[in-house]
Amino acid sequence: MLWSSQEFKFIEMDDAYSTGSSIMPQKKNPDAAELIRGKIGRVYSSLLSLLTTLKGLPLTYNKDMQEDKEQFFDALDTVMDCLEIMSKMIDTLHVNEENMKAAIKAGFLNATEVADYLVSKGTAFRDAHEIVGKIIIYCEQKKKAIEDLTIEEIAKFSDSITDDIYEYIDYENILNKGNKKLIKQITK
């Protein structure tokens, strides 16, 4: 829901799963996602009801287990319906990759990679942390992203920085490393 908002515009939902706003004609409300989020309360309620029934079992005849079926099947039907709608909604979802890439660049999300790079070159992490902090302040003052700094600009923060840093902090390369690679594969 947040990703489809005007502030992010990371995704666009198909009209079949969203509606226009009554007061803002430019807005698309992610109705299906909001309704599914609302169903969580119903499913939790069924769970709580079932748990309350189960709590007394060690002490009695267990005839009260007749009451588990209604809650269980209601929760099951609700979850299955939600999964069906969510699956269809996701199938028609459009991902705005350019907006996502722009958001990544705006957040200095490769700053940790700079620290890792410095550590791999023998810099103590506490020193690398301080260096990256100074780089971020410099970038904010110059209104630049880390990867947009020239080698002369970035190298003045540490003698360990050479032009191989650009390969290290490239967002595509970052996404193809370690756990991030696994996440990228799962989301495809």
Side-chain angles (χ1 to χ4, degrees), residues 138-153:
Y138 179 83
C139 287
E140 288 174 337
Q141 289 170 345
K142 298 292 183 185
K143 297 188 182 342
K144 287 185 171 185
I146 297 171
E147 65 277 9
D148 295 334
L149 297 176
T150 65
I151 190 62
E152 293 78 23
E153 286 177 297

Side-chain angles (χ1 to χ4, degrees), residues 6-183:
Q6 288 293 111
E7 295 80 10
F8 289 88
K9 291 189 102 173
F10 290 168
I11 60 170
E12 291 177 28
M13 292 190 189
D14 191 86
D15 288 345
Y17 303 98
S18 56
T19 60
S21 169
S22 59
I23 194 165
M24 297 182 288
Q26 79 283 9
K27 187 171 184 239
K28 261 175 115 170
N29 293 320
D31 289 348
E34 289 175 348
L35 292 169
I36 289 169
R37 179 181 60 187
K39 292 290 185 183
I40 292 170
R42 181 179 184 144
V43 173
Y44 280 180
S45 172
S46 293
L47 174 63
L48 186 58
S49 178
L50 185 56
L51 291 173
T52 302
T53 299
L54 291 173
K55 75 164 181 57
L57 287 182
L59 303 174
T60 62
Y61 172 66
N62 299 344
K63 184 96 171 158
D64 44 357
M65 283 304 293
Q66 296 177 104
E67 291 298 314
D68 71 336
K69 294 1 168 234
E70 182 180 2
Q71 297 301 325
F72 174 78
F73 288 115
D74 182 64
L76 180 64
D77 290 344
T78 301
V79 169
M80 295 305 291
D81 289 345
C82 289
L83 288 173
E84 182 180 346
I85 296 298
M86 185 64 80
S87 175
K88 291 176 181 176
M89 183 180 74
I90 290 172
D91 284 344
T92 66
L93 201 69
H94 170 73
V95 176
N96 296 319
E97 288 184 48
E98 293 307 313
N99 288 0
M100 294 177 91
K101 286 178 182 175
I104 288 171
K105 284 188 81 166
F108 297 110
L109 294 179
N110 58 357
T112 303
E113 307 303 324
V114 176
D116 289 345
Y117 169 85
L118 289 167
V119 168
S120 76
K121 298 279 186 156
T123 305
F125 183 77
R126 70 179 173 281
D127 296 331
H129 188 278
E130 183 180 339
I131 292 166
V132 172
K134 290 176 181 176
I135 292 171
I136 297 300
I137 291 168
Y138 179 83
C139 287
E140 288 174 337
Q141 289 170 345
K142 298 292 183 185
K143 297 188 182 342
K144 287 185 171 185
I146 297 171
E147 65 277 9
D148 295 334
L149 297 176
T150 65
I151 190 62
E152 293 78 23
E153 286 177 297
I154 198 166
K156 71 181 179 183
F157 292 97
S158 171
D159 294 337
S160 299
I161 297 176
T162 60
D163 61 355
D164 65 338
I165 192 167
Y166 294 109
E167 184 177 326
Y168 212 86
I169 63 174
D170 176 76
Y171 286 108
E172 286 298 321
N173 292 342
I174 292 169
L175 290 173
N176 288 322
K177 287 193 293 186
N179 291 337
K180 299 169 197 110
K181 181 177 183 179
L182 178 63
I183 292 168

